[in-house]
Amino acid sequence: MIFRQLFDSTSSTYTYLIASRTGGEALIIDPVIERVDRYIQLLSDLNLQLIKAVDTHVHADHITGLGALRDRTRCITVMGEQSGADVVSMRVSDGDRIEIEGVSLSVLYTPGHTDDSYSFVMGDRVFTGDTLLIRGTGRTDFQHGDARAQYDSIFNKLLKLPDETLIYPAHDYKGDTVSTIAEERTHNPRLQVRSIDEYVELMSNLNLPNPKLMDVAVPANLHIGMPQDEIDAHGWSISCAEANVIAGRDDMVLIDLRDRSERQRHGVIPGSVHAPYQDLAENVGPGGLLHELAAATRRRLVFYCAYGERSAMAVKAAQEAGIANACHLKGGIDAWNKAGGRLEPAAK
Ligand SMILES: [Fe+2]
């Protein structure tokens, strides 16, 4: 198991790099844009392929590294479904799992610091974002924060985890790196309250100044979608209306890039083939499933995903691999749904 806790001293942010083995797939939580070169170097040193970059919430004190990592590694960007960020490749909600090779995070919705705050449990540890900090809790006075919701997230979700669960937060300003559920329950001053009302009272009297970068970071973090002008200009995008007309025709084939869990939850476009995004390089390369499919049948590959980011990156990869007629469904299943496109349940 590879587990690295990386620190950005400017914003006091912890970023976590996780992989099950050297040479395998990796996932990163809460990357900071200024540190992206360092992450890329570390990924290269450990021979890791970054598959997913996850933010626990929209940050107010630093600009996320999600967009830069996606642009440089073609990884999947992940946030909670409540996030106001314009485009992330994949959205999760309470009870979902975020998976890569040999690693599985279970998703806990823990609003309060913001309305899009999530925690992720991985075996003996939990990544708490800014919901529960070491000897503190995330402020609740902006970004749709809500002290009542935070009390519920902490007392009824996080503190219900086993006592020995390790807590890895998104920030620490004192130099602490890790704690446990039992330790915070006993020693975290914010948690020594007798009622939800007492907690709300405590949180409403903190009178904290706004983070220095807030006016820059929040708008930047809401606009991390991948520019797709180049894809459109090449004629590699098709609209839902066009897709609807050609769906089912035998000169094209729809390729679903989403994870199994997304297919189960949201359904699939009838007649499409499942080829998960993380296997893309292998699938579009010479001898790969999609390479052979395109070559043998001369059918046009039409990629789709949840919002059109993975599919746009897939088109580029396919074009680079010599599949000249590949294109993608602009806006993904989200746009397909809004256009009233037909879906069917995914096969189990
Ligand atoms: Fe935060």
Side-chain angles (χ1 to χ4, degrees):
M1 182 69 167
I2 295 169
F3 178 81
R4 295 295 168 87
Q5 183 176 31
L6 302 154
F7 188 58
D8 172 58
S9 54
T10 310
S11 61
S12 297
T13 300
Y14 286 127
T15 300
Y16 302 93
L17 179 71
I18 303 160
S20 62
R21 64 179 177 96
T22 307
E25 297 182 352
L27 172 151
I28 198 165
I29 299 175
D30 286 333
V32 176
I33 195 165
E34 287 85 359
R35 309 288 299 173
V36 164
D37 284 345
R38 174 66 193 135
Y39 311 143
I40 299 274
Q41 181 63 51
L42 188 55
L43 288 162
S44 155
D45 291 348
L46 301 175
N47 190 24
L48 297 173
Q49 187 195 357
L50 186 65
I51 298 293
K52 287 177 179 160
V54 186
D55 263 355
T56 50
H57 62 290
V58 170
H59 295 281
D61 58 349
H62 67 268
I63 297 178
T64 176
L66 251 59
L69 284 169
R70 174 205 56 217
D71 293 345
R72 292 176 63 174
T73 70
R74 292 188 177 162
C75 67
I76 301 170
T77 52
V78 185
M79 289 190 77
E81 65 178 358
Q82 292 81 359
S83 161
D86 56 350
V87 178
V88 287
S89 308
M90 182 175 171
R91 289 177 188 268
V92 291
S93 59
D94 194 74
D96 281 346
R97 300 197 83 87
I98 300 174
E99 294 180 321
I100 59 164
E101 173 202 6
V103 175
S104 179
L105 308 183
S106 59
V107 176
L108 278 185
Y109 180 42
T110 51
H113 168 59
T114 63
D115 61 353
D116 70 341
S117 288
Y118 276 79
S119 299
F120 305 109
V121 180
M122 184 180 80
D124 64 350
R125 58 200 64 194
V126 57
F127 303 97
T128 54
D130 289 356
T131 301
L132 179 57
L133 305 173
I134 300 172
R135 307 298 192 266
T137 58
R139 62 193 298 174
T140 55
D141 56 338
F142 56 66
Q143 286 186 284
H144 311 289
D146 179 340
R148 256 171 216 286
Q150 192 176 50
Y151 179 95
D152 186 55
S153 295
I154 294 172
F155 282 85
N156 297 323
K157 286 190 172 166
L158 294 172
L159 294 188
K160 300 280 191 218
L161 294 169
D163 278 359
E164 60 280 12
T165 307
L166 299 168
I167 294 174
Y168 284 100
H171 292 290
D172 194 87
Y173 306 95
K174 313 171 299 297
D176 289 319
T177 54
V178 61
S179 182
T180 67
I181 291 293
E183 193 179 317
E184 289 311 307
R185 184 188 290 114
T186 310
H187 298 291
N188 188 322
R190 297 256 176 98
L191 306 188
Q192 311 312 309
V193 290
R194 278 156 304 186
S195 67
I196 190 166
D197 290 331
E198 201 178 313
Y199 185 74
V200 172
E201 175 75 12
L202 172 73
M203 294 306 285
S204 61
N205 288 309
L206 295 177
N207 298 319
L208 300 166
N210 281 344
K212 286 192 283 288
L213 273 179
M214 183 166 159
D215 294 340
V216 178
V218 172
N221 288 338
L222 292 175
H223 292 100
I224 56 169
M226 176 182 151
Q228 296 193 7
D229 312 1
E230 184 198 336
I231 305 272
D232 297 347
H234 278 103
W236 295 341
S237 299
I238 63 169
S239 67
C240 290
E242 290 169 287
N244 213 354
V245 171
I246 62 172
R249 257 177 28 193
D250 57 11
D251 58 347
M252 55 80 72
V253 57
L254 281 154
I255 311 288
D256 185 358
L257 297 165
R258 296 170 302 160
D259 280 9
R260 198 169 45 89
S261 59
E262 297 174 278
R263 288 163 52 85
Q264 300 287 353
R265 185 128 76 87
H266 301 289
V268 303
I269 300 178
S272 54
V273 171
H274 186 210
Y277 179 79
Q278 53 212 68
D279 300 334
L280 185 74
E282 192 183 315
N283 284 338
V284 298
L289 174 81
L290 299 177
H291 200 99
E292 294 309 302
L293 180 67
T297 65
R298 301 200 171 275
R299 291 161 86 186
R300 183 172 205 197
L301 303 188
V302 184
F303 292 106
Y304 75 92
C305 58
Y307 299 97
E309 281 221 338
R310 276 169 280 182
S311 57
M313 294 189 287
V315 169
K316 276 195 189 170
Q319 294 284 349
E320 286 164 15
I323 306 174
N325 62 358
C327 65
H328 85 129
L329 175 62
K330 197 173 170 68
I333 284 289
D334 183 49
W336 180 258
N337 256 330
K338 287 173 183 155
R342 202 159 71 82
L343 292 170
E344 65 183 17
K348 292 273 178 208

